[in-house]
Amino acid sequence: MLYLDNCATSKPLESVVQAMVRAMEEDFGNPSSIHSFGFSLEQEIKKIRAFILDYLGGQGQVYFTSGATEANNTVIHSFALDHPQGRIITSPLEHASLMEPIKDLENKGFTVNRVKILPNGQVDYEDLERLVGEGADLVALTHVNSELGSILDLDRVRQALKGKQVHLHIDGVQALGKIPIDLKGVNSYVFSGHKFHGPKGIGGLYLAPGVSLHPLILGGGQEAHFRSGTENVPGIYGLYAAFQNLEDHFDENYAKVKKLKAHLLEGLKSTFPDILFHGDLETTSPYILSLSIPGTRAEVLVHMLEEEEIYISTASACSSHKKEGKNPIHQAIGLSKEESMATLRICLDQSLEEEDLDYFISRLKEKVDDLRMIIGGR
Ligand SMILES: Cc1ncc(COP(=O)(O)O)c(C=O)c1O
């Protein structure tokens, strides 16, 4: 099998699997129990939390959640409670887990402004400054776009918000572990274990010093009353192993994936002279490539490739559940309907080799030729 859909999810590392097995076979206690078995787990989780916080810059707090969807929802829910007339700035590029709770508030009468997106997939920072000048309480944006790979320029965002009392919330799911991060000026940041070779069902919410939010889930008071529910100990252990791997291998992974993407781009360009790449290739994440091959249908290609056990995608796994058909990200960057229908997403990771990508391109070429013949012959 050739897995090129690492933005949807990534394969857990062996160290992650082992850590989770240990949590289930040995450390299966409840961290809230008052006996020493529970207490030792509470201490272990405290140590893991401190490690993750340190990775994120060392200041503030980290809470464990069931993933980024819950963490994004928590921030928006808390914002709504504190700002009944609140004004939100977001973008049309957001993942559904941020876009949907914001839309829900918009339907309830909150003011939501969406910043313009440039054809290269970048936020129009002048438009952001203009919108902030008109008034905002929350700016909610994504660090690395999950479909185009465009990287938010956090310096430009900080500049736009300078001197303003605005909560800056960033969805870091496709950024953490993939690009260097600096959380200066960010009030809240979310991440998800399964996107960087950790387990599914575990993620976190980072809050900067002085930021306090309302919980979304009430109950037994775990996570300092911020997120009730018995801790997902296997998930937390697995997440820790994934973070440890980042601590040890981030630079080498980044360099390898950057080279792989350059190799992929070169191979695709020479195989498909009319190919279109979306987003600014100089500045997008090395882990993500969005492209369209004219005269094809991406969804059909995905299924043709799956017959060879090659897995890629058309769009974000969450947006692909939608029925409306129109992809808001493609619309935002001005793709035509034809271009949008032909858009494929390839997401790399460090376990791949150049030969894997050569093999992928050769199979893709066969499928594209077959498909063009079918479509042309209709
Ligand atoms: C940018 C972004 N945010 C949030 C999520 C949701 O993460 P989770 O699966 O942890 O709920 C995803 C998952 O695809 C994502 O890509």
Side-chain angles (χ1 to χ4, degrees):
M1 139 156 117
L2 181 51
Y3 187 73
L4 299 171
D5 196 15
N6 287 284
C7 301
T9 196
S10 57
K11 185 177 178 189
L13 296 164
E14 189 48 41
S15 59
V16 168
V17 175
Q18 277 169 14
M20 295 180 79
V21 168
R22 183 160 57 85
M24 286 187 277
E25 286 185 349
E26 295 167 30
D27 295 353
F28 57 83
N30 185 329
S32 300
S33 296
I34 58 167
H35 49 65
S36 58
F37 189 38
F39 180 71
S40 67
L41 281 176
E42 192 191 353
Q43 292 305 105
E44 190 62 20
I45 290 177
K46 201 170 157 188
K47 186 186 88 187
I48 295 171
R49 197 189 307 279
F51 181 93
I52 295 174
L53 182 60
D54 200 46
Y55 185 90
L56 296 173
Q59 307 283 314
Q61 299 152 74
V62 167
Y63 296 103
F64 296 114
T65 63
S66 65
T69 299
E70 182 191 321
N72 276 332
N73 273 269
T74 303
V75 172
I76 303 304
H77 163 81
S78 176
F79 170 80
L81 290 178
D82 281 339
H83 300 85
Q85 305 290 316
R87 292 155 305 173
I88 303 172
I89 297 174
T90 186
S91 91
L93 300 187
E94 301 316 304
H95 185 265
S97 61
L98 197 49
M99 190 185 278
E100 292 301 323
I102 290 177
K103 258 196 216 159
D104 184 50
L105 293 191
E106 192 173 22
N107 293 337
K108 289 174 178 150
F110 285 72
T111 304
V112 177
N113 288 313
R114 287 175 183 79
V115 66
K116 277 192 206 131
I117 298 301
L118 300 171
N120 68 2
Q122 267 294 344
V123 162
D124 179 337
Y125 297 100
E126 282 171 19
D127 192 47
L128 178 66
E129 275 183 34
R130 183 185 64 78
L131 289 174
V132 171
E134 285 176 7
D137 303 295
L138 170 70
V139 169
L141 295 168
T142 291
H143 201 172
V144 170
N145 180 263
S146 59
E147 295 191 25
L148 303 172
S150 35
I151 301 176
L152 186 70
D153 186 340
L154 272 173
D155 281 337
R156 299 285 308 267
V157 177
R158 288 188 265 262
Q159 204 180 312
L161 298 186
K162 206 164 170 196
K164 306 271 197 276
Q165 283 289 2
V166 181
H167 182 110
L168 176 58
H169 173 65
I170 301 290
D171 178 335
V173 168
Q174 302 289 351
L176 200 145
K178 315 282 175 80
I179 60 163
I181 52 174
D182 167 11
L183 297 184
K184 192 162 27 89
V186 174
N187 299 100
S188 51
Y189 195 84
V190 308
F191 56 90
S192 172
H194 71 109
K195 305 293 183 168
F196 57 102
H197 302 283
K200 295 175 183 59
I202 186 81
L205 173 57
Y206 159 84
L207 299 182
V211 176
S212 138
L213 299 184
H214 299 282
L216 178 67
I217 298 177
L218 302 173
Q222 290 87 348
E223 295 286 300
H225 292 273
F226 185 64
R227 201 282 183 181
S228 287
T230 302
E231 290 85 347
N232 174 359
V233 181
I236 294 171
Y237 274 33
L239 185 67
Y240 181 38
F243 265 101
Q244 282 176 312
N245 179 65
L246 291 185
E247 179 100 333
D248 298 339
H249 299 292
F250 177 87
D251 290 341
E252 85 194 68
N253 290 348
Y254 185 86
K256 181 172 180 192
V257 174
K258 205 168 167 205
K259 242 177 111 215
L260 285 172
K261 185 169 175 184
H263 183 82
L264 177 64
L265 277 170
E266 213 175 285
L268 286 169
K269 271 188 218 160
S270 58
T271 312
F272 305 101
D274 53 350
I275 195 166
L276 285 176
F277 295 110
H278 309 310
D280 175 9
L281 293 180
E282 296 298 311
T283 56
T284 45
S285 162
Y287 288 79
I288 303 178
L289 182 62
S290 173
L291 59 94
S292 23
I293 303 175
T296 65
R297 287 282 173 275
E299 203 177 327
V300 180
L301 284 174
V302 167
H303 293 306
M304 288 170 99
L305 287 165
E306 85 193 358
E307 284 167 15
E308 314 290 338
E309 295 195 26
I310 297 175
Y311 300 104
I312 59 170
S313 61
T314 56
S316 150
C318 294
S319 63
S320 60
H321 290 308
K322 295 227 168 112
K323 294 217 166 64
E324 296 99 85
K326 283 189 188 148
N327 179 313
I329 296 177
H330 297 172
Q331 281 188 310
I333 60 166
L335 295 194
S336 66
K337 191 171 163 231
E338 283 299 308
E339 287 164 349
S340 178
M341 305 251 292
T343 296
L344 295 169
R345 180 183 71 169
I346 298 159
C347 293
L348 305 175
D349 83 345
Q350 62 283 351
S351 70
L352 295 161
E353 299 299 339
E354 289 186 355
E355 301 76 65
D356 296 320
L357 300 177
D358 295 341
Y359 174 71
F360 162 65
I361 293 170
S362 69
R363 302 320 298 251
L364 180 64
K365 171 88 173 88
E366 278 171 30
K367 304 296 176 193
V368 166
D369 289 348
D370 289 352
L371 182 59
R372 278 177 169 163
M373 214 140 77
I374 298 166
I375 294 177
R378 263 202 313 225

Short mmCIF file of all heavy atoms in Angstrom, two decimals, residues 67-69 95 97 146 171 173-174 192 194-195, ligand 1:
data_model
loop_
_atom_site.label_atom_id
_atom_site.label_comp_id
_atom_site.label_asym_id
_atom_site.label_seq_id
_atom_site.Cartn_x
_atom_site.Cartn_y
_atom_site.Cartn_z
N GLY A 67 -9.79 15.73 20.81
CA GLY A 67 -9.23 16.06 19.50
C GLY A 67 -9.42 17.54 19.22
O GLY A 67 -9.87 18.30 20.09
N ALA A 68 -9.08 17.92 18.01
CA ALA A 68 -9.14 19.35 17.67
C ALA A 68 -10.57 19.83 17.49
O ALA A 68 -10.87 21.00 17.74
CB ALA A 68 -8.34 19.60 16.41
N THR A 69 -11.46 18.95 17.05
CA THR A 69 -12.86 19.38 16.88
C THR A 69 -13.42 19.86 18.21
O THR A 69 -14.02 20.94 18.31
CB THR A 69 -13.71 18.22 16.31
OG1 THR A 69 -13.17 17.84 15.04
CG2 THR A 69 -15.17 18.60 16.15
N HIS A 95 -11.28 24.90 8.62
CA HIS A 95 -11.76 23.51 8.73
C HIS A 95 -13.17 23.53 9.32
O HIS A 95 -13.53 24.42 10.11
CB HIS A 95 -10.80 22.75 9.66
CG HIS A 95 -11.11 21.30 9.75
ND1 HIS A 95 -11.89 20.77 10.76
CD2 HIS A 95 -10.77 20.27 8.95
CE1 HIS A 95 -11.99 19.47 10.57
NE2 HIS A 95 -11.31 19.14 9.49
N SER A 97 -14.49 22.08 11.70
CA SER A 97 -14.61 22.08 13.16
C SER A 97 -14.49 23.48 13.74
O SER A 97 -14.81 23.70 14.91
CB SER A 97 -13.55 21.16 13.78
OG SER A 97 -12.25 21.61 13.46
N SER A 146 -5.60 22.93 5.55
CA SER A 146 -5.54 21.48 5.39
C SER A 146 -5.68 21.02 3.94
O SER A 146 -5.43 19.87 3.64
CB SER A 146 -6.62 20.82 6.25
OG SER A 146 -7.87 21.30 5.86
N ASP A 171 -6.02 27.39 14.78
CA ASP A 171 -6.12 25.94 14.62
C ASP A 171 -4.78 25.46 14.06
O ASP A 171 -4.43 25.75 12.91
CB ASP A 171 -7.28 25.65 13.63
CG ASP A 171 -7.43 24.16 13.34
OD1 ASP A 171 -6.44 23.42 13.48
OD2 ASP A 171 -8.54 23.75 12.95
N VAL A 173 -3.71 22.29 13.72
CA VAL A 173 -3.71 20.83 13.47
C VAL A 173 -2.72 20.40 12.39
O VAL A 173 -2.01 19.41 12.55
CB VAL A 173 -5.15 20.36 13.14
CG1 VAL A 173 -5.16 18.96 12.59
CG2 VAL A 173 -6.01 20.46 14.39
N GLN A 174 -2.69 21.13 11.27
CA GLN A 174 -1.79 20.70 10.17
C GLN A 174 -0.42 21.38 10.28
O GLN A 174 0.42 21.23 9.39
CB GLN A 174 -2.42 21.00 8.80
CG GLN A 174 -3.78 20.36 8.56
CD GLN A 174 -3.70 18.83 8.37
OE1 GLN A 174 -2.61 18.25 8.24
NE2 GLN A 174 -4.85 18.17 8.38
N SER A 192 -3.98 18.04 17.25
CA SER A 192 -4.64 16.74 17.22
C SER A 192 -3.60 15.64 17.02
O SER A 192 -2.80 15.70 16.08
CB SER A 192 -5.63 16.74 16.03
OG SER A 192 -6.16 15.46 15.84
N HIS A 194 -3.60 12.51 15.98
CA HIS A 194 -3.50 11.58 14.84
C HIS A 194 -2.96 12.21 13.58
O HIS A 194 -2.74 11.53 12.58
CB HIS A 194 -4.85 10.88 14.59
CG HIS A 194 -5.95 11.73 14.03
ND1 HIS A 194 -6.38 11.59 12.74
CD2 HIS A 194 -6.72 12.69 14.57
CE1 HIS A 194 -7.39 12.42 12.52
NE2 HIS A 194 -7.61 13.11 13.62
N LYS A 195 -2.71 13.53 13.62
CA LYS A 195 -2.16 14.17 12.42
C LYS A 195 -0.64 14.12 12.42
O LYS A 195 -0.01 14.46 11.43
CB LYS A 195 -2.64 15.62 12.34
CG LYS A 195 -4.14 15.80 12.39
CD LYS A 195 -4.84 15.23 11.17
CE LYS A 195 -6.34 15.53 11.29
NZ LYS A 195 -7.06 15.28 10.08
C1 LIG B 1 -7.16 21.95 10.19
C2 LIG B 1 -7.92 20.91 10.96
N1 LIG B 1 -8.58 21.27 12.10
C3 LIG B 1 -9.26 20.38 12.83
C4 LIG B 1 -9.34 19.06 12.46
C5 LIG B 1 -10.13 18.10 13.32
O1 LIG B 1 -9.28 17.32 14.11
P1 LIG B 1 -9.80 16.05 14.97
O2 LIG B 1 -9.83 14.91 14.02
O3 LIG B 1 -8.77 15.89 16.04
O4 LIG B 1 -11.12 16.42 15.52
C6 LIG B 1 -8.70 18.63 11.29
C7 LIG B 1 -8.83 17.24 10.83
O5 LIG B 1 -8.89 16.94 9.65
C8 LIG B 1 -7.97 19.58 10.52
O6 LIG B 1 -7.32 19.24 9.41
#
